[in-house]
Structures are given as C-alpha cells and as structure tokens.
Amino acid sequence: MTQTTPAEICLARWARSIRTSPLQTMLTKCRPAISFALGLPGPELLPAEQLSVAAAAVLASGPGALQYGPPSEELRHQIVEIMRWRGVECKASEVFLTSGAQQGLSILAKLLIGPRGRVVCEKYVYTGFLQAIEPMMPEVHTIETDAWSGPDIDGLEALLTRVADPGFLYINATGHNPLSLTLGGEARIRLVKLSARALTIVEDDPYGLLQYEGDSAALKSASPSSIIYVGSFSKILSPALRVGWLVAPEHLHTALASIKEGSDINTGTFSQRVACRFIASGGLREHVSKLACAYRRRRDFMLDALARTLPSGSRWTTPSAGIFIWVELPEPYDAVELLDRALSEHGVAFLPGVAFCAKDSAHESARRSLRLNFSHCTEDQIEEGMRRIAVILRDW
Ligand SMILES: Cc1ncc(COP(=O)(O)O)c(C=O)c1O
C-alpha cells in the first residue's frame, strides 16, 4: 500500500471540501520558513506609511468614517481612471465596489449561474473561483489549457455547441493564476467574438497592472457590455483592505447590491475611503511601477535559480505579468511528494499543479507541475528556497 503523505491528505481534504482553504491554514500553521505557495505581495513593498497617513485623514474627517454608509462615490470615479490604464472606457455608474475580487466572483456566481446552473472555465483554474461557485453546485464544463498555448478556443467553440446557456465563461487573461500565461492577440480576438455572440465572459484581472513586458489591455477593452470585469486592490495596494470592484452593466447593479447585502449588509467604507485617499494623493501609479519593477527583478532572479536548479527535461514559463511561475518537471518527479518533503524536511512551501485542477479533471502532467510565487520572497529567500528544493531533486 502506498503511504499517504501529509501534503496529500491535506490536498485531498482541500479538494473534497472544495477548497474551503485548509491548505492556507496548513501553510499558516506549519509556518514554512520560505513560502512560494500563496499569492502574497512582498511585505516590505506594502505602502504602510502612506496608508497610515490616509487612514488618519479618514478618521479625522469625523465619526461618519466609522459608520454604516454607502459605497465611496469618489473611489468609483477613481476606478474609472484605473480602468483607462487597462484600456477600458467605462462610467462610474458601472463600477460596483466589492470586498475584494473574491466577493465579486461570489456575487457573480450567484447572479449569473444560479443553483445547479452551468459554468465554463479552464481545466487549470484559480481555486478561489471554484470556492466562489461551489454554493451554486453548478455543472462545471472545462476547456483544455496549458501554460504555453493557453485555453483551447476551438475546444471552447465546440463545447458551446453542446452546453446550453452557460452562466458565463471565467477567464484570467493577463498573468493567469496559476498558469502565469498572458493571452496573445488571436485568442483575445476570438474570445471577444464569442462574447459578442451571447456568451457572458467574467474577466478576472487582479494582475493586469503588474506587467513586466508588453502592455496587454484588458479583454473588456474590446467588448464593453458582454464582458464583466473583476478588479482588485489586493495585489497593487494591500490585500488587507479587501477592496475590489466589478465593472458591470448598470441594469445588473440592483441585483448585485441585493446579493452583496445578503452576505455583508454594508460595504467596507472605511477601507474604501483609505484606498481613495491614497489614490487621491497621486501615489498609486508610482506605487504600481515600483511593484512591477521589484517583481520583475524577483521573477528574473527566480528564473535564473530555476535554470540552475531543475533537472534536465523540466520546463517553466517566463511570465510577462502576474506573480507566478508554472513549472513542469519530467518523469518520474512528483510535485505532491516534492511538496511533502520540502515542507516537512526543508521548511519550503509551494503549491502542486493538482491543487488547481477544476473538478477531478487532473491532467497527466498536473502531478508533475508546481506553481511558484515570486512576489512574496526576497531574493535571498528565493535563492535559499530554490537551493533547498534542489537538494531534494538531486537525491530523488
Ligand atoms: C485570479 C485571482 N482572482 C481573485 C483573487 C482574489 O483577490 P482579492 O484579494 O481581491 O479577493 C485572487 C487572489 O489571489 C486571484 O489570484
């Protein structure tokens, strides 16, 4: 009988309970010395001082700052400008503020999929998306994808002839989590064409402003109404603020607000106003450039370490956006086993590819794949973490 490893037990439990996040708990609890596992910003890059000035100013503005209240109108206008950076022209009345992108996904799942409805996504997908749709118990239809070619659009077109009225297609076109791919022009054009033929697309874009080469506009820039955009300040300002937004047609806003109210009654106006002050000070563009510069260096550092560390026959991506690198090891390596040893013997964490498989549709290569985050660790930690992984791989 094969021995089940702690990482495997955890992953299985995670998959069974549809990722109610014990893995995050496990990773927090066992406190790996070096973590490439989660999508965390670099802690020293969080703008603590500027945010404390912004928070003090909001508090000084009177008790209303701590009261129930409507979403920040000013922030919605600021987001219109941020959307322009992503190539999207929209109105403030189309911006719907949420508690992070995650809440946006969860509200959209309730609104657009409904109980036991249908939804389409790639075979490798952001696990939080699966958590967001799970309460709807939907039929999940998947399309083939990989980190090098991206989603199979021919396969998607074929699937749409078989699957009637899916609630939406979920796509993460820029700096994909977990595959790290940014979609090329042709795939984008074909997706936009599909969206024009009555397929709603939910474009999740938390990494759109963290681009290192090129400047891909959001998918939504080409199709104003049939693509609903999900944005977030988590990766470009601070995840603790829990401020995100949707850009969605105005006629959906009453329903969006009603679903949102059912989960949190009121919106996080304090955080919204702090974000708003920060943006009003003119600091966001500069901060985003600083992050992109720092993350590009960390990406390059990790790529260099991978070239020195991984066994021949491995391949990995060079992401032009986002905060992850996707690695595929050759046979006979196994990423779950590698994680187990990395965690228990070397205090290093990452996530294995199987953690991102929608449904049980594990690819043959999933077990040999891993997602490495490069935004959270310093260069020294990246060097040391990769050195420890190299030791395990050498002794395999
Ligand atoms: C693709 C993707 N969507 C959504 C989220 C959730 O972001 P937020 O912190 O804004 O809820 C994340 C977080 O890592 C993500 O990677």
Side-chain angles (χ1 to χ4, degrees):
M1 204 174 79
T2 47
Q3 190 80 29
T4 311
T5 65
E8 212 151 24
I9 292 169
C10 221
L11 278 169
R13 202 186 311 138
W14 191 35
R16 255 203 322 278
S17 58
I18 200 61
R19 294 96 172 166
T20 43
S21 251
L23 194 65
Q24 292 225 14
T25 315
M26 173 187 86
L27 290 168
T28 324
K29 272 197 187 139
C30 65
R31 290 186 195 288
I34 299 174
S35 178
F36 304 133
L38 304 177
L40 273 47
E44 63 293 325
L45 296 165
L46 294 166
E49 259 177 50
Q50 298 100 304
L51 283 174
S52 80
V53 171
V58 172
L59 284 171
S61 70
L66 296 174
Q67 190 55 277
Y68 285 116
S72 165
E73 202 50 41
E74 196 180 340
L75 183 61
R76 292 169 82 194
H77 280 90
Q78 289 168 327
I79 288 170
V80 168
E81 177 57 24
I82 294 171
M83 291 307 299
R84 266 191 207 118
W85 302 349
R86 297 292 295 120
V88 177
E89 286 298 328
C90 66
K91 296 186 284 211
S93 53
E94 294 172 284
V95 176
F96 183 86
L97 296 177
T98 59
S99 179
Q102 189 64 27
Q103 188 187 46
L105 292 174
S106 169
I107 296 173
L108 289 173
K110 291 191 177 112
L111 180 65
L112 301 175
I113 307 176
R116 296 182 194 281
R118 303 179 191 91
V119 69
V120 182
C121 66
E122 294 166 87
K123 283 202 167 176
Y124 285 112
V125 72
Y126 162 57
T127 50
F129 168 71
L130 298 174
Q131 286 177 274
I133 62 173
E134 178 56 18
M136 297 295 103
M137 294 193 283
E139 262 177 42
V140 180
H141 295 269
T142 54
I143 50 172
E144 290 295 335
T145 191
D146 79 27
W148 290 271
S149 337
D152 171 12
I153 312 285
D154 290 335
L156 171 63
E157 286 176 347
L159 185 143
L160 291 174
T161 63
R162 295 192 308 273
V163 176
D165 298 327
F168 60 85
L169 163 74
Y170 170 79
I171 212 94
N172 185 197
T174 309
H176 189 283
N177 178 8
L179 297 177
S180 82
L181 182 92
T182 291
L183 283 192
E186 197 199 322
R188 284 170 186 263
I189 291 166
R190 292 183 68 186
L191 285 172
V192 168
K193 276 193 184 147
L194 280 175
S195 79
R197 297 209 308 259
L199 170 70
T200 300
I201 295 185
V202 169
E203 178 182 25
D204 189 10
D205 194 42
Y207 306 107
L209 290 171
L210 295 175
Q211 296 194 44
Y212 313 117
E213 281 96 29
D215 186 12
S216 290
L219 211 54
K220 184 167 176 63
S221 64
S223 177
S225 60
S226 49
I227 300 184
I228 297 181
Y229 182 95
V230 184
S232 174
F233 286 108
S234 288
K235 315 295 172 171
I236 55 169
L237 194 50
S238 157
L241 289 175
R242 308 308 303 138
V243 183
W245 68 93
L246 303 176
V247 181
E250 282 170 59
H251 70 267
L252 295 179
H253 282 221
T254 308
L256 291 171
S258 152
I259 297 170
K260 183 176 186 301
E261 217 173 285
S263 81
D264 65 1
I265 298 283
N266 199 225
T267 198
T269 48
F270 181 69
S271 284
Q272 290 173 11
R273 291 176 66 184
V274 171
C276 181
R277 282 273 174 166
F278 178 91
I279 297 165
S281 74
L284 185 63
R285 195 100 216 213
E286 197 185 319
H287 183 62
V288 168
S289 310
K290 184 174 146 191
L291 287 180
C293 196
Y295 292 164
R296 184 189 297 114
R297 275 180 58 114
R298 287 179 186 189
R299 176 202 67 171
D300 291 346
F301 203 81
M302 187 175 264
L303 288 171
D304 192 55
L306 289 172
R308 284 183 279 112
T309 306
L310 296 184
S312 81
S314 305
R315 59 175 183 161
W316 56 90
T317 56
T318 300
S320 62
I323 56 175
F324 304 108
I325 294 175
W326 184 259
V327 175
E328 211 176 275
L329 297 169
E331 294 287 0
Y333 296 98
D334 179 313
V336 175
E337 218 178 303
L338 180 65
L339 169 65
D340 215 37
R341 293 180 56 189
L343 259 181
S344 56
E345 297 164 24
H346 298 268
V348 180
F350 59 83
L351 287 186
V354 288
F356 301 97
C357 290
K359 304 198 289 184
D360 297 322
S361 56
H363 293 225
E364 172 276 322
S365 60
R367 216 170 153 96
R368 291 184 281 111
S369 302
L370 38 145
R371 187 198 74 174
L372 297 173
N373 164 265
F374 57 81
S375 58
H376 180 59
C377 289
T378 60
E379 291 177 6
D380 285 349
Q381 289 169 324
I382 292 173
E383 181 68 28
E384 178 57 18
M386 293 314 301
R387 191 194 64 74
R388 295 183 195 182
I389 288 176
V391 169
I392 310 172
L393 291 171
R394 214 172 33 235
D395 298 346
W396 199 265

